[in-house]
Amino acid sequence: MTNPILETRNLTKVYGQNTIFKNIDLKVNEGETIVIIGPSGTGKSTLLRCINLLTSHDGGQVFLDGNEITAKGYNEDEVRQQIGMVFQNFLLFNHLTAFDNVMIGLTRVKKMPKEQAKAKAMEELNRVGLADRADHYPGQLSGGQQQRVAIARALAMDPRVMLFDEPTSALDPELIGEVLGVMAKLARDRMTMIVVTHEMGFAREVADRIVFMEKGNIVEEGTPDDLFYHPKHDRTREFLWKITELYGKKEKEKGDKA
Amino acid sequence: MSSFFTYIVQGTAITIAVTLVALPFGLIWGLLMALVHTYGGKLLNRVAAAYSLLLRGVPPIVLLFILYFILSGSINLSPFWAGSLSLGIVSSAYQMEILRGALLAVGGGQMTAARALGMSRLQSIQYIILPQALRLAIPPWSNEASIVLKDSSLVYALGVPEVLRRAQQLSATTQQPFLAYGAAALIYFVLVFAVNRGLDYVSERTKLPTHP
């Protein structure tokens, strides 16, 4: 068995009296796509933020390539270069063009020579299909395009792992597809990804493993087939049934309109 | 008659000079305080808040006298420099609040995104937060610039021969108060008008494009 690229051991986060999540053990192997699902407020997003140290944790450890990144004195900025993150609300740098959004990490953080950074930035924009929007500012791009630029921005750093925090939740329905398409392509290219999403279609087709979280615990994890067709826990079955029904309804409404 | 106007126009140069010292000094100091207030720890945050509260709670002319006597007494500055720097210190508190508002308006998300990319706090502020905050600050800063320009008239009380001081002297010697003060008013108005128009232009030029 190969060593996991990313691992959390007993990871715990507490806000005051509230336990956000407790003793989370998660192993992610290289090239794997993990989809985390679960009801709102179960700590999925906070878990991602603890993994790349944007939020402090209250117990447990996180390992990247076998190194404990939660160890005292570990260089956080260095860690975050290796863990890309895509946010629900895109968070592109508003004063920079799409091209400069992708390039700024290369020149300012990686200190890459300008010419090399330019080529790399263009390559990444190409990868998400937005080379023709390079000189557009975020305010001139659709939500879907902004999110694809945000993915390119994170990819440009050549991260070991990519974290996606509900990347399509803020998008109009007709724009979700283009973002999921880019993510599916990444998964096929064997990028290691942890995705928090409510897109069950994506989870079923793209995930190597689905993790169902509720109330700060991992209730169940397994392959999409395991979870969708043979869930071990009633709660998993209930959640998946509900969300699939909702998704189906939306699909049906769309069909009726068309 | 022509010497009348020459005399007061020469004062204009000093008025402009006072403003050109006070405004940038207040900007740099105010920016520093705004950054400390927004991103500094608990203690620094309180110090900055108290600084702002104190300076904005006292009339500028009163502060000007206090600071003038401190500055000219301790390091033997000329009235021009002591007056200009005092004016700058007073303005720094107002500029600090303008910039603080702008920093907050940029929002925490931009900082999060920058940190997630591997930037340090300082890099995030320098490359991501400030370029956006300064753009947002231009319109309110334009207002503060015209206030400092007009408040530069306060240094007349310290004997600096700027526009108002000279208008007062002319009023006394020529017995033409309306003409003297009217000329001063016109000069201030033209200067403020030019500054506001200039900054409107800068604001327009640095505006970020939205929909195509």
Side-chain angles (χ1 to χ4, degrees):
Chain A
M1 176 104 190
T2 53
N3 286 327
I5 188 168
L6 188 103
E7 184 181 357
T8 70
R9 283 187 207 154
N10 292 321
L11 198 62
T12 300
K13 175 71 188 173
V14 182
Y15 274 125
Q17 301 280 342
N18 276 341
T19 303
I20 307 300
F21 51 77
K22 205 172 174 186
N23 297 333
I24 298 289
D25 291 312
L26 190 67
K27 281 184 187 166
V28 185
N29 296 311
E30 181 142 27
E32 216 179 3
T33 298
I34 309 268
V35 170
I36 304 180
I37 59 172
S40 301
T42 45
K44 308 183 297 291
S45 296
T46 313
L47 177 63
L48 290 190
R49 281 164 182 260
C50 281
I51 287 174
N52 73 350
L53 312 180
L54 278 178
T55 299
S56 63
H57 66 297
D58 296 292
Q61 298 159 297
V62 182
F63 295 85
L64 181 67
D65 286 318
N67 301 314
E68 195 200 334
I69 59 175
T70 41
K72 258 207 158 86
Y74 209 90
N75 187 339
E76 292 184 8
D77 296 334
E78 203 115 302
V79 168
R80 296 200 198 95
Q81 287 181 46
Q82 297 173 50
I83 305 181
M85 184 149 190
V86 174
F87 301 91
Q88 183 176 350
N89 44 352
F90 330 134
L91 298 181
L92 287 184
F93 304 133
N94 294 315
H95 63 303
L96 299 176
T97 61
F99 183 73
D100 287 334
N101 261 280
V102 181
M103 201 165 86
I104 193 162
L106 298 172
T107 52
R108 298 301 188 187
V109 180
K110 288 207 154 184
K111 314 281 184 202
M112 195 183 268
K114 206 153 192 187
E115 287 310 311
Q116 201 186 336
K118 275 185 179 169
K120 174 87 173 157
M122 215 54 207
E123 183 191 316
E124 296 300 345
L125 277 179
N126 243 325
R127 197 156 148 188
V128 298
L130 285 174
D132 59 330
R133 293 283 184 276
D135 58 349
H136 284 51
Y137 283 85
Q140 298 171 302
L141 298 171
S142 73
Q145 290 169 335
Q146 288 190 52
Q147 193 60 299
R148 282 149 70 198
V149 173
I151 293 172
R153 175 177 71 179
L155 286 176
M157 303 298 283
D158 286 327
R160 301 281 290 140
V161 182
M162 284 280 283
L163 309 178
F164 293 83
D165 185 5
E166 301 201 24
T168 57
S169 297
L171 291 174
D172 288 342
E174 71 263 31
L175 301 178
I176 290 174
E178 60 185 85
V179 172
L180 292 181
V182 167
M183 290 167 62
K185 195 172 124 220
L186 278 181
R188 281 200 301 278
D189 295 343
R190 305 313 291 165
M191 168 59 78
T192 310
M193 318 201 306
I194 306 179
V195 185
V196 170
T197 185
H198 293 297
E199 294 294 330
M200 290 304 135
F202 176 85
R204 191 155 24 185
E205 282 160 38
V206 180
D208 295 305
R209 201 145 42 95
I210 298 180
V211 174
F212 174 55
M213 265 180 85
E214 188 179 50
K215 292 181 186 140
N217 292 301
I218 292 180
V219 177
E220 188 170 349
E221 58 176 291
T223 64
D225 277 355
D226 285 345
L227 257 79
F228 277 94
Y229 301 114
H230 320 286
K232 289 196 207 79
H233 294 261
D234 289 345
R235 199 44 206 121
T236 314
R237 189 195 319 261
E238 202 182 322
F239 177 79
L240 283 173
W241 188 80
K242 258 188 198 159
I243 203 155
T244 312
E245 185 196 41
L246 198 72
Y247 183 76
K249 246 186 212 162
K250 248 198 318 197
E251 286 295 281
K252 190 168 175 291
E253 272 169 23
K254 250 198 265 174
D256 288 346
K257 261 187 213 162
Chain B
M1 203 64 205
S2 82
S3 67
F4 180 103
F5 284 106
T6 316
Y7 187 65
I8 205 162
V9 164
Q10 279 167 353
T12 310
I14 297 176
T15 288
I16 292 173
V18 170
T19 308
L20 283 182
V21 172
L23 204 53
F25 179 80
L27 175 63
I28 291 165
W29 188 229
L31 180 59
L32 218 66
M33 293 302 267
L35 288 171
V36 160
H37 195 306
T38 314
Y39 300 110
K42 248 188 189 149
L43 182 75
L44 285 173
N45 177 304
R46 285 208 182 147
V47 171
Y51 176 84
S52 160
L53 202 66
L54 203 68
L55 287 192
R56 289 184 303 127
V58 179
I61 185 78
V62 178
L63 281 170
L64 203 63
F65 278 126
I66 295 174
L67 290 167
Y68 170 70
F69 287 117
I70 294 174
L71 284 175
S72 65
S74 60
I75 43 178
N76 199 20
L77 284 178
S78 69
F80 171 80
W81 281 102
S84 303
L85 290 178
S86 302
L87 209 58
I89 292 172
V90 171
S91 175
S92 74
Y94 294 91
Q95 297 197 49
M96 166 190 167
E97 292 302 328
I98 289 168
L99 292 163
R100 197 165 76 85
L103 288 173
L104 292 178
V106 170
Q110 294 285 314
M111 174 65 96
T112 306
R115 296 307 301 277
L117 212 53
M119 288 191 191
S120 66
R121 263 166 90 81
L122 214 59
Q123 283 181 315
S124 308
I125 291 169
Q126 183 183 354
Y127 300 125
I128 306 301
I129 307 292
L130 275 185
Q132 298 183 56
L134 292 180
R135 279 183 170 86
L136 293 174
I138 294 173
W141 194 80
S142 166
N143 189 41
E144 176 63 16
S146 54
I147 288 174
V148 170
L149 188 54
K150 287 180 286 183
D151 279 358
S152 72
S153 60
L154 296 177
V155 300
Y156 106 103
L158 310 178
V160 179
E162 43 67 74
V163 171
L164 181 60
R165 181 88 187 168
R166 290 181 184 228
Q168 196 189 27
Q169 288 165 348
L170 287 172
S171 160
T173 51
T174 63
Q175 303 294 322
Q176 300 249 38
F178 184 76
L179 194 62
Y181 290 120
L186 185 68
I187 288 171
Y188 282 117
F189 179 80
V190 169
L191 289 178
V192 167
F193 184 80
V195 165
N196 283 345
R197 275 301 161 93
L199 285 168
D200 281 353
Y201 177 75
V202 173
S203 173
E204 199 55 43
R205 284 300 297 267
T206 54
K207 215 166 103 187
L208 294 169
T210 48
H211 290 286

